[in-house]
Amino acid sequence: MKIFILKKSFLIGLLGLFSLQVFPQQNYELIIVGGGASGTSAGISAGRLGIKTLIIEESTWLGGMLTSAGVSAIDGNDQISGGFYGEFKHALEEYYGGPKNMATGWVSNTLFEPKVANELLQEMAAKTPNLTISFQSAWETAVYAEGKWRLTYQKGKESIIVTSTLLIDATELGDIAAAQGLRYRLGMDARDLIGEIYAPAEANNIIQDLTYVATLQDYGKGTDKRIPKPANYDPSEFACACAHADPTTDNAPTLDCEKMLDYGKLPNGKYMINWPNCGNDYYLNIVEMNPEERKKALKAAKAATLRFVYYIQNDLGFSHLGLAEEEYPTADGLPMIPYHRESRRYFGLVDFTLPYVLNPYTAPNPYYRTGAIVGDYTIDHHHKKNPEAPAIDFIKIRVPSYTVPLGALIPKGHKGLILAEKSISVSNIVNGASRLQPVVLGIGQAAGTLAAVSLKAKKSPSEISIREVQQALLNQGAYLMPFIDVAPSSPHFQAVQKIGLSGIMKGEGVPYLWANQTWFYPDRIVSEYELVDGLRQLYSELKDFWGASGADLTGERFQVILEKIKSNTPLLEIAQTWDRAKLPGKFTTEKELTRLEVAVLLNELINPFGVEVDWEGNFMK
């Protein structure tokens, strides 16, 4: 792993000043560089919240890895699909006639055609007020001075100057933040430095393999869609491609070439070719190259993918599977960009590392109270094409679902920048889970919402109310705690989320196959001690109260405990709150209360979510 500090270029600053004298200037409140998964989500979220927003995107598509990179199979969050990701998923389901019609391959329950996803995202963006998108636009300079951004970008032969108060770096590789001289990490972290027992003893510069995906179309038996034989073709490169076993099991690999292809089978007879085992993963670290160097280096990754396509067509006998025509607006039929699994990782207000994923409640700080994005996919690293990569069995790092702290999106040392995509403050190991599509869409939504709250308050992102941002996200139906058993469709979703964010009532995390879980257990009866122990961390009035037993909590005992915090809370007030919240049945002194009922009553009667937290998750009462 490297840690870098880049100095601002004096020349870039001068170019920006000179260009101001020549070209017209457009003013926005928020600029987002990159219209990928997070950039699109951020722009739509900010625009809906009333912020005059500009997205600058190099291609003609929105969606990044979901579309332009062809990774059109969602990894994770299938049962916790809230917020913008849930909206996007619902749009796909409507287009294809239901979720069953998208469960076409075994890697995911949600597979789709890249061009369809782009069209849906473009429709959503077009309906968003306050949002402007400049396609086929490449940023050139970005200068932040006196609380204002001045950014120059090239669109065709025209250079355009735009200004804003805030900027979101939604580039694939964290390029804007690098140009500001911010410190970042690249590669694997050292075990002792990062505090992760699974990390290598020494840091290195190795990142995950990238993939140049191909989308194939089934043109029917008897057709011949074979591509010309690529240079340097050697079938031994792909000799184990048909051998597969689920790494979360102890099953031995079986040879099944059709199963390999069905891994990424898409609707309408198409196939996503994004295969790690002797397939088209490719080790290439282009992060610190300039755009021209990247373009040249990526030719090798493209060539590897074409060799794999040729192998599938010729050596495996699937000559009727050809590159999907008119899927991408490219001359070679391949996606516009590769699938980058790793980026620069910047130092944020907090650093989201493995201990906070393994058990958020016993980690050094209660970051979960500042949660803004959820994920449930396991730690998944791709290093099969790099023999120099340390032999770490990432699949064996068993984690539950998790919540990403908001402070990981705010870089240290910059008042006007918000991090998105894969550049947030996470460890190399945790990036193996946070890099996946639903999480990155959530990162974008959180970034756009954070920007909106900051701009409306006229404060920098590091100065705003965390609770205000969380409330704005909850209002958009986003999960902040990954409770699998209380969905946004529940009338009590927000109450459960808020009580979970307070830590008064905790979830139970379960490492489970490829879709890890955290359960709230809303119907479970609460004990007196469980309630008091949860409240004690926030309310000093209960610090020395030991009058709670392990017995089931009744309505009568709830009132006794509540009065220690909020005096003069009669049973009638609790009963009226019960009815107002439309809880089932009637509140009585004898009734044994469930976790959901207690969460709703606490949220209504004492509002513990109203107590602010700092970036480490500590209460600021």
Side-chain angles (χ1 to χ4, degrees):
M1 180 199 72
K2 296 181 185 176
I3 296 178
F4 300 84
I5 304 177
L6 300 181
K7 294 183 177 180
K8 294 181 182 177
S9 168
F10 179 67
L11 177 59
I12 286 178
L14 284 178
L15 287 173
L17 290 172
F18 285 134
S19 60
L20 282 173
Q21 300 171 17
V22 177
F23 301 108
Q25 183 171 293
Q26 301 172 15
N27 302 312
Y28 295 87
E29 294 177 276
L30 173 66
I31 296 171
I32 301 169
V33 183
S38 66
T40 302
S41 179
I44 292 174
S45 299
R48 288 173 175 175
L49 291 170
I51 301 303
K52 187 180 180 183
T53 303
L54 171 69
I55 296 176
I56 296 169
E57 166 56 30
E58 291 192 27
S59 74
T60 59
W61 278 24
L62 292 176
M65 63 173 154
L66 291 160
T67 59
S68 302
V71 191
S72 55
I74 296 293
D75 293 309
N77 285 39
D78 189 54
Q79 297 186 68
I80 49 172
S81 55
F84 184 80
Y85 166 59
E87 184 181 348
F88 170 65
K89 185 169 179 281
H90 179 68
L92 287 168
E93 290 168 353
E94 282 198 330
Y95 179 89
Y96 286 107
K100 288 185 179 179
N101 294 332
M102 298 167 65
T104 45
W106 54 268
V107 69
S108 170
N109 291 321
T110 305
L111 299 101
F112 50 89
E113 296 157 280
K115 68 177 182 180
V116 169
N118 165 62
E119 290 166 2
L120 293 174
L121 290 171
Q122 298 246 21
E123 287 177 12
M124 294 165 72
K127 295 176 182 177
T128 302
N130 311 299
L131 177 61
T132 301
I133 303 173
S134 183
F135 290 107
Q136 295 180 298
S137 301
W139 77 278
E140 295 179 323
T141 65
V143 178
Y144 184 74
E146 298 180 353
K148 206 76 173 175
W149 285 96
R150 288 183 174 86
L151 184 139
T152 307
Y153 68 94
Q154 191 79 20
K155 184 178 177 68
K157 295 182 179 180
E158 183 182 9
S159 284
I160 301 172
I161 301 295
V162 287
T163 68
S164 69
T165 302
L166 290 180
L167 186 147
I168 295 175
D169 185 347
T171 60
E172 292 289 328
L173 300 174
D175 293 333
I176 293 286
Q180 308 313 303
L182 296 184
R183 298 174 65 235
Y184 63 85
R185 294 164 293 183
L186 186 62
M188 294 183 176
D189 307 295
R191 183 183 306 152
D192 293 339
L193 181 65
I194 204 71
E196 296 178 341
I197 60 173
Y198 297 100
E202 296 182 0
N204 59 55
N205 302 326
I206 295 172
I207 65 171
Q208 290 195 61
D209 300 345
L210 58 74
T211 306
Y212 227 105
V213 174
T215 302
L216 301 185
Q217 172 81 53
D218 187 346
Y219 289 94
K221 296 288 186 181
T223 59
D224 188 348
K225 288 291 181 176
R226 288 178 293 179
I227 62 174
K229 186 175 182 179
N232 303 315
Y233 177 72
D234 182 352
S236 66
E237 180 181 1
F238 311 108
C240 70
C242 294
H244 175 74
D246 188 335
T248 63
T249 72
D250 294 324
N251 298 333
T254 57
L255 290 173
D256 190 336
C257 297
E258 288 196 4
K259 184 177 180 180
M260 179 270 289
L261 289 171
D262 286 347
Y263 167 88
K265 187 175 183 180
L266 309 177
N268 295 322
K270 296 176 183 176
Y271 295 83
M272 175 190 72
I273 305 302
N274 175 26
W275 186 246
N277 303 319
C278 293
N280 55 328
D281 276 12
Y282 194 83
Y283 184 71
L284 185 64
N285 188 342
I286 65 170
V287 175
E288 295 176 292
M289 296 180 183
N290 65 40
E292 285 304 314
E293 290 170 336
R294 289 173 179 175
K295 193 178 294 185
K296 290 179 182 178
L298 284 171
K299 289 180 180 179
K302 277 190 176 186
T305 292
L306 291 173
R307 291 197 299 273
F308 189 43
V309 169
Y310 184 84
Y311 177 79
I312 291 169
Q313 294 173 327
N314 288 267
D315 293 78
L316 300 186
F318 296 96
S319 59
H320 58 290
L321 299 184
L323 291 172
E325 298 171 3
E326 300 182 0
E327 187 69 35
Y328 305 103
T330 56
D332 59 12
L334 294 177
M336 289 82 89
I337 61 173
Y339 176 27
H340 295 287
R341 292 185 174 87
E342 203 159 330
S343 168
R344 300 173 174 96
R345 292 172 287 109
Y346 291 91
F347 291 90
L349 298 184
V350 299
D351 203 22
F352 192 46
T353 58
L354 192 58
Y356 296 95
V357 179
L358 290 170
N359 193 330
Y361 301 117
T362 61
N365 294 299
Y367 288 169
Y368 70 90
R369 293 182 188 147
T370 71
I373 308 109
V374 297
D376 66 8
Y377 207 70
T378 193
I379 305 290
D380 183 20
H381 278 241
H382 287 228
H383 292 289
K384 294 188 176 183
K385 293 299 180 75
N386 184 1
E388 302 300 319
I392 301 172
D393 190 349
F394 292 98
I395 295 297
K396 298 300 182 184
I397 306 175
R398 307 301 292 139
V399 300
S401 50
Y402 57 89
T403 181
V404 180
L406 186 62
L409 279 61
I410 303 175
K412 289 181 179 178
H414 204 295
K415 292 185 176 182
L417 184 65
I418 297 172
L419 303 169
E421 205 62 26
K422 305 174 191 75
S423 298
I424 65 172
S425 185
V426 295
S427 68
N428 168 265
I429 285 180
V430 171
N431 172 73
S434 64
R435 67 178 172 81
L436 296 162
Q437 305 100 316
V439 183
V440 175
L441 285 170
I443 288 169
Q445 183 168 22
T449 303
L450 170 62
V453 171
S454 300
L455 288 163
K456 289 179 179 180
K458 297 183 179 180
K459 295 180 179 179
S460 70
S462 63
E463 297 171 332
I464 51 80
S465 159
I466 295 170
R467 291 299 193 222
E468 188 175 349
V469 177
Q470 290 175 322
Q471 182 62 66
L473 287 166
L474 288 172
N475 291 344
Q476 298 169 63
Y479 281 88
L480 306 184
M481 296 293 289
F483 299 147
I484 195 173
D485 45 1
V486 183
S489 58
S490 166
H492 306 304
F493 173 74
Q494 285 205 23
V496 169
Q497 287 284 308
K498 290 177 179 180
I499 294 303
L501 288 164
S502 74
I504 292 172
M505 305 187 77
K506 298 176 173 60
E508 293 187 22
V510 180
Y512 177 72
L513 300 178
W514 292 92
N516 302 307
Q517 302 170 347
T518 302
W519 297 80
F520 184 74
Y521 295 117
D523 299 325
R524 181 182 287 175
I525 300 298
V526 181
S527 75
E528 294 179 16
Y529 182 80
E530 179 185 359
L531 174 61
V532 171
D533 193 48
L535 290 168
R536 188 178 286 127
Q537 62 184 321
L538 183 53
Y539 298 101
S540 58
E541 297 90 339
L542 290 169
K543 182 179 179 182
D544 298 319
F545 176 72
W546 301 103
S549 76
D552 291 342
L553 178 72
T554 63
E556 179 182 16
R557 291 297 291 163
F558 177 78
Q559 190 252 359
V560 169
I561 294 167
L562 191 63
E563 283 218 329
K564 299 290 182 182
I565 301 167
K566 183 186 177 185
S567 58
N568 300 317
T569 308
L571 289 168
L572 178 60
E573 181 182 351
I574 299 174
Q576 290 173 337
T577 302
W578 182 285
D579 293 339
R580 187 171 60 251
K582 297 181 179 180
L583 289 168
K586 290 292 181 181
F587 176 82
T588 66
T589 55
E590 296 82 16
K591 182 174 179 58
E592 295 176 344
L593 303 182
T594 66
R595 285 168 58 87
L596 184 142
E597 291 163 351
V598 170
V600 171
L601 290 173
L602 291 177
N603 182 61
E604 293 288 333
L605 290 164
I606 59 174
N607 186 26
F609 183 75
V611 180
E612 285 288 347
V613 291
D614 63 21
W615 293 106
E616 285 73 38
N618 301 306
F619 292 115
M620 296 171 64
K621 186 176 179 180

